[in-house]
Short mmCIF file of all heavy atoms in Angstrom, two decimals:
data_model
loop_
_atom_site.label_atom_id
_atom_site.label_comp_id
_atom_site.label_asym_id
_atom_site.label_seq_id
_atom_site.Cartn_x
_atom_site.Cartn_y
_atom_site.Cartn_z
N ALA A 385 77.31 -107.33 -2.88
CA ALA A 385 76.99 -106.92 -1.51
C ALA A 385 75.49 -106.75 -1.30
O ALA A 385 75.01 -106.78 -0.17
CB ALA A 385 77.73 -105.63 -1.16
N THR A 386 74.74 -106.56 -2.38
CA THR A 386 73.30 -106.32 -2.28
C THR A 386 72.52 -107.25 -3.20
O THR A 386 73.03 -107.72 -4.22
CB THR A 386 72.97 -104.86 -2.66
OG1 THR A 386 73.29 -104.65 -4.05
CG2 THR A 386 73.76 -103.88 -1.81
N GLU A 387 71.27 -107.50 -2.83
CA GLU A 387 70.40 -108.31 -3.66
C GLU A 387 70.11 -107.62 -4.98
O GLU A 387 70.01 -108.26 -6.04
CB GLU A 387 69.09 -108.59 -2.92
CG GLU A 387 68.18 -109.58 -3.62
CD GLU A 387 68.79 -110.96 -3.77
OE1 GLU A 387 69.58 -111.36 -2.88
OE2 GLU A 387 68.48 -111.64 -4.77
N LYS A 388 69.99 -106.29 -4.93
CA LYS A 388 69.75 -105.52 -6.15
C LYS A 388 70.90 -105.70 -7.13
O LYS A 388 70.69 -105.89 -8.34
CB LYS A 388 69.58 -104.04 -5.81
CG LYS A 388 69.36 -103.15 -7.02
CD LYS A 388 69.27 -101.67 -6.62
CE LYS A 388 69.13 -100.78 -7.85
NZ LYS A 388 69.09 -99.33 -7.48
N GLY A 389 72.13 -105.65 -6.62
CA GLY A 389 73.29 -105.84 -7.49
C GLY A 389 73.30 -107.21 -8.13
O GLY A 389 73.62 -107.35 -9.31
N SER A 390 72.93 -108.23 -7.37
CA SER A 390 72.88 -109.60 -7.90
C SER A 390 71.85 -109.72 -9.01
O SER A 390 72.11 -110.29 -10.07
CB SER A 390 72.55 -110.58 -6.78
OG SER A 390 73.58 -110.63 -5.82
N GLN A 391 70.66 -109.18 -8.78
CA GLN A 391 69.58 -109.29 -9.75
C GLN A 391 69.91 -108.55 -11.04
O GLN A 391 69.65 -109.07 -12.14
CB GLN A 391 68.29 -108.75 -9.14
CG GLN A 391 67.74 -109.61 -8.01
CD GLN A 391 66.52 -109.00 -7.35
OE1 GLN A 391 66.13 -107.87 -7.66
NE2 GLN A 391 65.91 -109.74 -6.42
N GLU A 392 70.47 -107.36 -10.93
CA GLU A 392 70.82 -106.58 -12.13
C GLU A 392 71.90 -107.27 -12.94
O GLU A 392 71.86 -107.27 -14.18
CB GLU A 392 71.25 -105.18 -11.73
CG GLU A 392 70.11 -104.32 -11.20
CD GLU A 392 70.58 -102.92 -10.81
OE1 GLU A 392 71.81 -102.68 -10.80
OE2 GLU A 392 69.71 -102.07 -10.52
N LEU A 393 72.88 -107.88 -12.26
CA LEU A 393 73.95 -108.57 -12.97
C LEU A 393 73.42 -109.82 -13.66
O LEU A 393 73.76 -110.09 -14.82
CB LEU A 393 75.07 -108.94 -11.99
CG LEU A 393 76.29 -109.67 -12.57
CD1 LEU A 393 76.92 -108.87 -13.71
CD2 LEU A 393 77.31 -109.95 -11.47
N GLN A 394 72.59 -110.59 -12.98
CA GLN A 394 72.03 -111.80 -13.57
C GLN A 394 71.11 -111.50 -14.75
O GLN A 394 71.04 -112.29 -15.70
CB GLN A 394 71.26 -112.59 -12.51
CG GLN A 394 72.16 -113.28 -11.49
CD GLN A 394 71.37 -114.01 -10.43
OE1 GLN A 394 70.35 -113.51 -9.95
NE2 GLN A 394 71.83 -115.19 -10.04
N SER A 395 70.45 -110.35 -14.70
CA SER A 395 69.51 -110.01 -15.77
C SER A 395 70.20 -109.75 -17.10
O SER A 395 69.56 -109.83 -18.16
CB SER A 395 68.69 -108.78 -15.37
OG SER A 395 69.51 -107.62 -15.30
N CYS A 396 71.48 -109.43 -17.09
CA CYS A 396 72.19 -109.13 -18.34
C CYS A 396 73.36 -110.10 -18.57
O CYS A 396 74.31 -109.77 -19.28
CB CYS A 396 72.68 -107.69 -18.35
SG CYS A 396 73.69 -107.23 -16.95
N SER A 397 73.27 -111.29 -17.97
CA SER A 397 74.33 -112.29 -18.13
C SER A 397 73.71 -113.63 -18.52
O SER A 397 72.49 -113.78 -18.53
CB SER A 397 75.12 -112.43 -16.82
OG SER A 397 75.64 -111.19 -16.39
N SER A 398 74.57 -114.59 -18.82
CA SER A 398 74.08 -115.92 -19.19
C SER A 398 73.65 -116.68 -17.94
O SER A 398 73.94 -116.28 -16.81
CB SER A 398 75.18 -116.70 -19.91
OG SER A 398 76.18 -117.11 -18.98
N LEU A 399 72.98 -117.81 -18.16
CA LEU A 399 72.50 -118.61 -17.04
C LEU A 399 73.64 -119.27 -16.27
O LEU A 399 73.45 -119.69 -15.12
CB LEU A 399 71.54 -119.69 -17.55
CG LEU A 399 70.22 -119.18 -18.16
CD1 LEU A 399 69.41 -120.36 -18.71
CD2 LEU A 399 69.41 -118.40 -17.13
N SER A 400 74.80 -119.37 -16.88
CA SER A 400 75.93 -120.01 -16.20
C SER A 400 76.55 -119.11 -15.13
O SER A 400 77.26 -119.59 -14.24
CB SER A 400 77.00 -120.42 -17.22
OG SER A 400 77.59 -119.28 -17.81
N LEU A 401 76.32 -117.80 -15.22
CA LEU A 401 76.85 -116.89 -14.20
C LEU A 401 76.05 -117.03 -12.92
O LEU A 401 74.83 -116.95 -12.91
CB LEU A 401 76.82 -115.45 -14.69
CG LEU A 401 77.42 -114.40 -13.74
CD1 LEU A 401 78.16 -113.32 -14.53
CD2 LEU A 401 76.36 -113.75 -12.84
N LYS A 402 76.76 -117.26 -11.82
CA LYS A 402 76.13 -117.39 -10.51
C LYS A 402 76.54 -116.22 -9.63
O LYS A 402 77.65 -115.69 -9.75
CB LYS A 402 76.55 -118.70 -9.83
CG LYS A 402 76.33 -119.94 -10.68
CD LYS A 402 74.86 -120.20 -10.96
CE LYS A 402 74.67 -121.48 -11.76
NZ LYS A 402 73.26 -121.74 -12.10
N THR A 403 75.64 -115.83 -8.75
CA THR A 403 75.96 -114.76 -7.81
C THR A 403 75.83 -115.27 -6.38
O THR A 403 75.08 -116.20 -6.10
CB THR A 403 75.03 -113.54 -8.00
OG1 THR A 403 73.68 -113.94 -7.75
CG2 THR A 403 75.16 -112.96 -9.40
N VAL A 404 76.58 -114.64 -5.48
CA VAL A 404 76.53 -114.98 -4.07
C VAL A 404 76.67 -113.70 -3.27
O VAL A 404 77.41 -112.79 -3.65
CB VAL A 404 77.65 -115.99 -3.71
CG1 VAL A 404 79.03 -115.41 -3.98
CG2 VAL A 404 77.53 -116.42 -2.25
N ASN A 405 75.94 -113.62 -2.17
CA ASN A 405 76.04 -112.45 -1.30
C ASN A 405 77.34 -112.49 -0.52
O ASN A 405 77.74 -113.56 -0.02
CB ASN A 405 74.84 -112.41 -0.35
CG ASN A 405 74.88 -111.20 0.57
OD1 ASN A 405 75.38 -111.27 1.68
ND2 ASN A 405 74.37 -110.07 0.09
N LEU A 406 78.00 -111.35 -0.41
CA LEU A 406 79.27 -111.31 0.31
C LEU A 406 79.46 -109.96 0.98
O LEU A 406 79.43 -108.92 0.33
CB LEU A 406 80.44 -111.57 -0.65
CG LEU A 406 81.85 -111.46 -0.04
CD1 LEU A 406 82.04 -112.50 1.07
CD2 LEU A 406 82.92 -111.62 -1.11
N ASN A 407 79.68 -110.00 2.28
CA ASN A 407 80.07 -108.84 3.07
C ASN A 407 81.48 -109.09 3.57
O ASN A 407 81.69 -109.92 4.46
CB ASN A 407 79.10 -108.64 4.23
CG ASN A 407 79.50 -107.48 5.13
OD1 ASN A 407 80.47 -106.76 4.86
ND2 ASN A 407 78.78 -107.28 6.23
#
Side-chain angles (χ1 to χ4, degrees):
T386 65
E387 188 63 31
K388 179 183 176 182
S390 295
Q391 292 175 354
E392 290 180 351
L393 180 56
Q394 287 178 319
S395 68
C396 55
S397 305
S398 74
L399 294 176
S400 66
L401 183 143
K402 307 295 182 182
T403 61
V404 60
N405 181 266
L406 176 62
N407 177 4

